[in-house]
Amino acid sequence: MNRLFYGDCLTIMQEMKLGSVDLIYLDPPFNSNRDYNNIYTDETGRPLPDQVEAFCDTWTLDIETERAARHMPVLMREAGVDDAIAEFWRHWLNALRKSNPKVLAYLVYMTQRLLPMRGILKPTGSVYLHCDPTASHYVKVMMDAIFGHDNFRNEIVWCYKSRPQPKSKFGQKHDVILLYGNSKSAKFNWRAVARPLSESTVKKYRLKDDDGRLYRLQGRGITDSPIRSQKDVPLHWEADHPDLVVRDYLDEKDGTTQEDWWTDIPILNQNSTERLGYATQKPVELLERIILASSNLGDVVLDPFCGCATTIEAAHKLRRRWIGIDIAIHAIKRVASVRLRDRLGLIEGKDFTVEGVPRNVEGARDLWERDKYHFQKWAVEQVDGFVTTKKGTDGGVDGRLYFDLQSQPDLQSMVIEVKGGRNVGINVIRDLRGVLERDTAKMAGLIILNDLGDRKTRNFNIEMAQAGDLEVAGVKYARMQMLTVQEIIDGKRFFTPSVARGRGQAQPVLPF
């Protein structure tokens, strides 16, 4: 069955069966802020406040990333990458640490995930990595190392015409798609894709036979015949020179062979019915070409950064099986409801499964024990909040929930803190109240994994009540509130002024 995973693709791919995927397409984020902000702007009709700290740049060379960078040669050797490449990484690490730490952080992140991709890809499989020229040359070096230089097939240049013209350089009007096979010894899946005939070529087929088929005349062995210009062909020419001409039928043409530069697929305009709110969303037609070229009916197509799931839609239309992974619950909800249910008519449990989302307290506790940061992320997003993008201590703010006060031009927020431990003390409430007083947020929410018991809950409520209420249109909202994971799973949410929904569109209630 088709599968949609919520979680970090690194963890999920490490648990997948080796040699189980026929085709991988990935369009990894280089700047995650853009997509997250656009998703929420699309849902609310209003942008997130400029001062929000939750959307700091993901690609920073922090302590954890630095540690991962130093450990990379070990991971490479374990994955069977040549020792010379692992040694090259050390030199590259030193060179980029100071000259371009942002790119180094990105390469660490990507290399960690490219290594398991090689393992789950069949020997006959292919991987397409979509990126822009900002980092494509760096990524290609790593893909050469991981998949092998001999398995490099194409650098595809996807050209488009939009985007404003910059004043100080040539306009950037293309993306790069790197195509690699996975084995020198195995014949990888490949089917030549024909590009449709141009409109000017089609117009040359102006003659019709008795069955209504369009054709043009072609001469045999002559160079000065008037039939070289089809529009000037006398209608009697074919009858008068049957030995000199043949019929060239339009319906027998397969189109022109597709090159490695693609100019015939435009980017999505703002009014496209395909759009789901992602600034960098790719057209279905682009993914259909890739899937047709490198897979067969029934093959498994994986998109480890599926976002709005363009790959999934293309794979489904072409009768391939698919696996999509995304680390944002907002993306998973939107894919399940809009892309799969509304656009494709698929039914969860029958046509696809959603995995990696805790369905009960036991599942949430298991997530906490395996990955505390991801548990916090899940909890925040489950109540319609947005997570901070940095791991580690952040002064009691794990995320924010935004709501609309009609009297104010900007969205307002509730700061959210998540606690998964068993011993949550009253000092957590006092510290969170301090955050509320220092922050510009109007409200604060605490999410706890384990039930506190009646007495402790009562004491927490007394302490939270001291923060007072927020009154909006005659309705009072407690400025500090608390939810348990069980309450969240049961459908309870923080009581806040209206969390704006998608421009008048009803939002479905999903089981996660």
Side-chain angles (χ1 to χ4, degrees):
M1 184 180 290
N2 300 314
R3 305 162 79 185
L4 184 61
F5 284 95
Y6 165 60
D8 188 335
C9 63
L10 173 61
T11 303
I12 293 167
M13 291 189 297
Q14 287 172 337
E15 297 174 354
M16 291 175 63
K17 183 179 178 181
L18 296 178
S20 60
V21 174
D22 296 280
L23 170 62
I24 299 175
Y25 169 84
L26 61 153
D27 181 16
F30 188 75
N31 186 343
S32 59
N33 303 0
R34 178 166 47 182
D35 274 349
Y36 275 104
N37 278 286
N38 273 276
I39 293 171
Y40 202 73
T41 298
D42 183 70
E43 289 180 354
T44 65
R46 302 171 70 178
L48 293 171
D50 292 338
Q51 71 274 18
V52 172
E53 298 174 357
F55 295 93
C56 56
D57 193 348
T58 303
W59 313 119
T60 54
L61 193 60
D62 54 20
I63 295 175
E64 183 174 344
T65 306
E66 176 74 28
R67 185 183 303 114
R70 292 181 178 278
H71 188 61
M72 194 61 64
V74 177
L75 295 179
M76 289 179 177
R77 290 188 175 100
E78 289 177 349
V81 176
D82 189 87
D83 282 350
I85 299 297
E87 186 61 28
F88 167 76
W89 174 268
R90 294 184 189 277
H91 295 288
W92 209 11
L93 170 67
N94 293 329
L96 289 174
R97 183 183 283 109
K98 293 182 179 180
S99 64
N100 203 333
K102 183 175 181 178
V103 166
L104 177 57
Y106 178 71
L107 289 174
V108 171
Y109 178 89
M110 285 307 307
T111 303
Q112 285 177 314
R113 286 152 182 78
L114 287 169
L115 288 168
M117 284 183 207
R118 189 181 75 161
I120 63 177
L121 190 64
K122 291 180 180 178
T124 55
S126 302
V127 55
Y128 288 76
L129 192 149
H130 195 136
C131 51
D132 67 30
T134 306
S136 61
H137 49 301
Y138 293 104
V139 173
K140 187 177 185 299
V141 172
M142 295 317 303
M143 294 191 75
D144 279 349
I146 295 169
F147 291 95
H149 182 270
D150 291 342
N151 289 323
F152 170 70
R153 307 300 182 194
N154 281 109
E155 180 181 72
I156 300 164
V157 179
W158 176 43
C159 304
Y160 36 75
K161 294 183 179 180
S162 66
R163 290 190 179 177
Q165 177 68 42
K167 296 180 180 180
S168 59
K169 63 179 181 179
F170 295 112
Q172 182 179 316
K173 305 289 185 180
H174 75 277
D175 286 0
V176 173
I177 305 174
L178 301 173
L179 167 59
Y180 281 77
N182 199 31
S183 173
K184 293 185 293 183
S185 59
K187 184 178 180 181
F188 76 113
N189 288 333
W190 175 253
R191 181 182 298 104
V193 177
R195 188 172 47 185
L197 295 173
S198 67
E199 185 177 346
S200 60
T201 299
V202 172
K203 286 182 179 179
K204 295 178 181 178
Y205 292 80
R206 69 185 189 89
L207 303 176
K208 284 186 180 181
D209 66 10
D210 294 339
D211 296 323
R213 296 174 65 197
L214 292 172
Y215 70 93
R216 66 177 178 175
L217 298 176
Q218 289 186 328
R220 288 193 302 217
I222 56 176
T223 59
D224 57 350
S225 168
I227 66 173
R228 290 165 60 193
S229 176
Q230 293 291 314
K231 65 181 179 180
D232 296 329
V233 177
L235 295 178
H236 58 80
W237 178 267
E238 184 176 8
D240 293 346
H241 304 83
D243 56 331
L244 296 179
V245 297
V246 293
R247 291 183 178 185
D248 177 29
Y249 281 96
L250 177 62
D251 58 13
E252 294 177 352
K253 293 295 182 182
D254 293 328
T256 57
T257 302
Q258 182 61 59
E259 311 288 352
D260 62 1
W261 49 278
W262 299 355
T263 61
D264 58 325
I265 301 177
I267 63 173
L268 297 177
N269 62 50
Q270 294 302 314
N271 298 320
S272 172
T273 57
E274 288 187 30
R275 280 212 168 274
L276 271 74
Y278 280 70
T280 58
Q281 182 174 337
K282 305 304 183 291
V284 171
E285 185 181 0
L286 181 73
L287 272 300
E288 287 178 338
R289 177 171 294 174
I290 289 171
I291 291 171
L292 282 172
S294 297
S295 67
N296 302 308
L297 292 175
D299 279 356
V300 176
V301 178
L302 166 67
D303 187 339
F305 299 90
C306 74
C308 62
T310 301
T311 306
I312 288 176
E313 178 168 338
H316 177 76
K317 287 182 175 180
L318 296 174
R319 295 162 58 191
R320 272 68 169 173
R321 292 174 292 164
W322 51 260
I323 300 171
I325 307 172
D326 203 274
I327 200 168
I329 196 68
H330 297 283
I332 295 298
K333 287 181 178 181
R334 178 168 289 202
V335 167
S337 62
V338 180
R339 180 75 77 174
L340 301 184
R341 188 193 66 184
D342 297 346
R343 285 180 62 87
L344 299 179
L346 304 184
I347 300 172
E348 184 183 353
K350 176 184 176 182
D351 302 305
F352 69 95
T353 61
V354 178
E355 302 180 34
V357 181
R359 307 291 178 138
N360 50 45
V361 174
E362 289 73 22
R365 185 169 291 114
D366 177 68
L367 180 59
W368 162 259
E369 292 172 354
R370 287 188 291 110
D371 190 334
K372 292 177 172 54
Y373 171 75
H374 201 70
F375 166 79
Q376 292 176 343
K377 187 176 185 300
W378 167 79
V380 169
E381 293 182 327
Q382 191 66 19
V383 296
D384 297 321
F386 281 77
V387 297
T388 57
T389 57
K390 284 187 176 181
K391 300 182 182 182
T393 58
D394 45 26
V397 179
D398 295 317
R400 292 176 187 265
L401 184 152
Y402 298 95
F403 52 85
D404 194 2
L405 296 183
Q406 296 298 328
S407 60
Q408 300 188 32
D410 297 325
L411 292 173
Q412 303 302 309
S413 67
M414 164 188 272
V415 293
I416 300 175
E417 183 173 10
V418 181
K419 293 294 181 182
R422 294 186 178 275
N423 298 312
V424 180
I426 196 72
N427 62 301
V428 170
I429 293 295
R430 292 167 181 161
D431 292 343
L432 184 58
R433 183 179 172 188
V435 171
L436 178 61
E437 292 173 351
R438 296 189 302 270
D439 198 274
T440 58
K442 299 290 186 181
M443 305 175 72
L446 175 66
I447 298 174
I448 56 174
L449 173 57
N450 300 291
D451 190 277
L452 299 174
D454 292 341
R455 181 177 177 180
K456 203 170 185 179
T457 299
R458 185 165 54 251
N459 291 337
F460 272 49
N461 287 333
I462 292 172
E463 188 72 25
M464 288 189 296
Q466 296 182 32
D469 298 323
L470 173 68
E471 186 169 344
V472 179
V475 179
K476 291 185 177 181
Y477 302 88
R479 293 191 69 215
M480 293 191 69
Q481 300 175 32
M482 179 175 65
L483 288 174
T484 65
V485 165
Q486 183 63 63
E487 289 174 326
I488 292 172
I489 290 173
D490 291 340
K492 189 174 180 179
R493 297 293 181 263
F494 289 115
F495 183 48
T496 70
S498 176
V499 177
R501 292 297 185 184
R503 300 177 182 176
Q505 299 175 359
Q507 298 293 311
V509 177
L510 298 173
F512 47 84

